Amino acid sequence: MSFALLERALELDRSDPLSAKRAEFEIDDARIYLDGNSLGALPRAAAERLQKTVQEEWGKDLIGSWNEHAWIDLPITVGEKVARLIGAAAGQTVVCDSISVNLFKLLSFALSLRPDRTRILSERSNFPTDLYVAQGLQKLLGEGRCEVRTVEKEALENSLDESVAVLMLTHVDFRSGRIHDMAELTRRAHEVGAVVIWDLAHSAGALPVALDDCAVDLAVGCGYKYLNGGPGAPSFVYVASRHQQSAQQPLSGWMGHAAPFAFDPDYRDGEGILRFLCGTPPILSLSALDAALDVFQGVELRALRAKSIGLCEFFLEAVLSSEVLGDFELASPRNAEERGSQIALRHDDAYAICRALLENGVTPDFRAPDLVRFGFAPLYNRYVDVARAVHTLERITSSRLYLEPRFAERTKVT
Ligand SMILES: *Cc1c(COP(=O)(O)O)cnc(C)c1O
């Protein structure tokens, strides 16, 4: 590694206003973790909270904990902590279920808002589960009521016309990291009378989001990526206040009922956003996410974004100026303003390169068919990690180490 690069990294770390945040995470210094966009690192407070929830609350207070430790309110209290990160005023965000399940609820509701239209418009490169859920709804309702149309990004604006009931998009593309202009697309969709659903899986906790200011209708996002809630942490759902009184969603479980403990045989909608809950909340996961979100206390989202851009730019400049990384093609926008907190590099041997990086202490991830994806978590990644990751990538590439047969073996999760 060039000393100049390392020196600059150390300098940037010294002047990083977020540098103290790293100590709030359980991080193995021997591993450079650049996959916080798939599974965030473990906040120490989340580990402690899990311990407490298991030993004291579950272990000792048992069922009384629903009241005594306010377990029953966690979907709302955690939702309000997420709200600050996504630009949502109080009373519009709740945490429950997975993104997939929540999209089913939101898509159904959104379609019901436009009874004379049938089309859900999305992007072909959207995260597959988002498309699969829409396709499932199409199968359930029949094409006469729900018809999914996917187009390339370039065709989105031209495809937005008065036949569209719902525009469903992911804010930051999971492969390239490209950011959609949320304000502009939401405005365009509203102009033709469509309802908008944004998926914030790669946005929340990585960059500022302004749902209320953009007049977004509905949104979902992920608890286990940049929010660091742990594997399988529940997702969040946002429903703008103006839609809540009319909101109906088909997974009308008892936690969404106006009075769950009245055990009424007939469903009645709960107050506002509460009706988007379905079954019993996963208290262990919610507790971990609750504690994980406290790491964001005192963190300015502008500072978070500045650090994220700093890390990405530092990485890109080093890669693009490297004499041995010429075989990689940049699959993310070059302009930082058009990117989230990740960089994807294209290479024919992307899979083997990922495996070789893993064996050499760097964790990126592979996205089929040919991308090595590096995620930069501004709360705990350092510039020095980035310098070392680039150095490892150079070493693996110039030595052709990645061509060794063991790196070609496929794992179940990539
Ligand atoms: C990670 C991710 C999901 C995950 O969905 P789950 O149902 O919570 O597993 C959905 N959409 C996008 C865009 C993602 O990046």
Side-chain angles (χ1 to χ4, degrees):
M1 159 169 37
S2 89
F3 277 114
L5 190 68
L6 187 60
E7 292 237 316
R8 244 186 77 218
L10 290 167
E11 182 59 46
L12 286 164
D13 281 327
R14 273 192 294 271
S15 56
D16 168 17
L18 293 177
S19 62
K21 281 285 159 189
R22 180 175 168 90
E24 294 184 34
F25 290 85
E26 207 56 72
I27 288 177
D28 171 9
D29 275 332
R31 174 154 293 278
I32 298 168
Y33 190 68
L34 299 179
D35 211 0
N37 55 331
S38 270
L39 176 65
L42 169 64
R44 293 182 197 278
E48 283 160 20
R49 176 69 174 275
L50 273 174
Q51 190 72 17
K52 176 174 171 284
T53 306
V54 170
Q55 298 294 347
E56 292 174 30
E57 300 179 2
W58 180 14
K60 297 204 176 83
D61 297 333
L62 285 159
I63 201 160
S65 300
W66 285 103
N67 291 315
E68 272 167 56
H69 301 294
W71 283 358
I72 195 69
D73 299 323
L74 274 175
I76 292 288
T77 49
V78 181
E80 293 304 350
K81 287 185 186 178
V82 174
R84 176 179 87 87
L85 303 177
I86 58 175
Q92 304 176 102
T93 315
V94 77
V95 173
C96 57
D97 302 315
S98 61
I99 289 186
S100 307
V101 171
N102 286 324
L103 273 176
F104 181 81
K105 301 173 194 170
L106 292 189
L107 281 168
S108 308
F109 168 49
L111 271 179
S112 76
L113 288 173
R114 295 292 176 273
D116 52 339
R117 300 186 186 187
T118 56
R119 182 166 295 167
I120 296 173
L121 177 66
S122 193
E123 207 178 341
R124 275 197 79 69
S125 61
N126 200 347
F127 193 87
T129 203
D130 299 38
L131 302 179
Y132 300 162
V133 169
Q135 290 160 14
L137 191 63
Q138 171 178 298
K139 228 184 227 170
L140 180 73
L141 299 179
E143 283 182 41
R145 181 66 199 99
C146 172
E147 167 237 342
V148 182
R149 174 148 185 243
T150 57
V151 298
E152 301 299 333
K153 174 190 183 273
E154 297 68 33
L156 266 178
E157 291 198 11
N158 279 340
S159 309
L160 246 187
D161 57 28
E162 294 186 356
S163 68
V164 177
V166 187
L167 175 65
M168 173 184 74
L169 292 174
T170 294
H171 184 219
V172 174
D173 185 276
F174 79 104
R175 292 188 188 87
S176 67
R178 180 183 32 73
I179 304 183
H180 273 303
D181 185 339
M182 178 181 284
E184 177 62 11
L185 277 162
T186 302
R187 194 184 62 75
R188 292 271 185 127
H190 287 167
E191 258 173 23
V192 295
V195 177
V196 185
I197 304 179
W198 286 102
D199 183 336
L200 305 176
H202 291 276
S203 315
L207 44 97
V209 178
L211 293 182
D212 287 347
D213 284 350
C214 293
V216 168
D217 300 294
L218 308 165
V220 291
C222 193
Y224 55 80
K225 291 172 178 159
Y226 294 103
L227 300 187
N228 311 306
S235 139
F236 61 85
V237 189
Y238 162 94
V239 177
S241 300
R242 64 184 177 282
H243 291 307
Q244 289 181 10
Q245 280 327 97
S246 67
Q248 299 263 315
Q249 60 95 0
L251 298 181
S252 45
W254 69 315
M255 288 295 147
H257 191 279
F261 290 91
F263 297 102
D264 187 336
D266 295 313
Y267 183 79
R268 271 186 298 125
D269 285 314
E271 195 50 49
I273 188 75
L274 277 174
R275 67 187 64 173
F276 282 84
L277 298 180
C278 181
T280 305
I283 295 304
L284 297 183
S285 288
L286 265 172
S287 301
L289 178 56
D290 189 30
L293 285 162
D294 288 341
V295 178
F296 285 91
Q297 267 176 17
V299 173
E300 277 231 34
L301 294 182
R302 265 177 308 157
L304 197 73
R305 176 67 171 153
K307 167 95 179 278
S308 151
I309 289 180
L311 291 168
C312 289
E313 282 297 301
F314 187 70
F315 175 81
L316 254 189
E317 283 166 22
V319 167
L320 296 176
S321 64
S322 168
E323 285 168 14
V324 296
L325 298 177
D327 286 348
F328 289 90
E329 182 198 332
L330 179 61
S332 299
R334 179 63 192 89
N335 177 1
E337 299 301 320
E338 295 168 24
R339 264 194 331 254
S341 206
Q342 67 196 60
I343 306 266
L345 299 178
R346 185 170 285 122
H347 193 289
D348 288 343
D349 290 311
Y351 181 77
I353 289 167
C354 276
R355 303 294 305 164
L357 281 170
L358 274 170
E359 198 182 272
N360 285 273
V362 178
T363 306
D365 62 17
F366 166 72
R367 283 296 170 262
D370 57 2
L371 297 180
V372 190
R373 193 179 65 164
F374 299 88
F376 301 91
L379 288 181
Y380 52 82
N381 283 137
R382 298 171 302 191
Y383 290 91
V384 69
D385 299 326
V386 177
R388 283 164 59 201
V390 173
H391 174 64
T392 308
L393 187 62
E394 285 181 322
R395 193 160 50 78
I396 283 166
T397 308
S398 57
S399 64
R400 309 229 153 219
L401 175 73
Y402 65 86
L403 292 175
E404 291 186 10
R406 67 181 183 286
F407 297 127
E409 274 166 37
R410 294 282 167 142
T411 54
K412 200 163 174 182
V413 176
T414 60

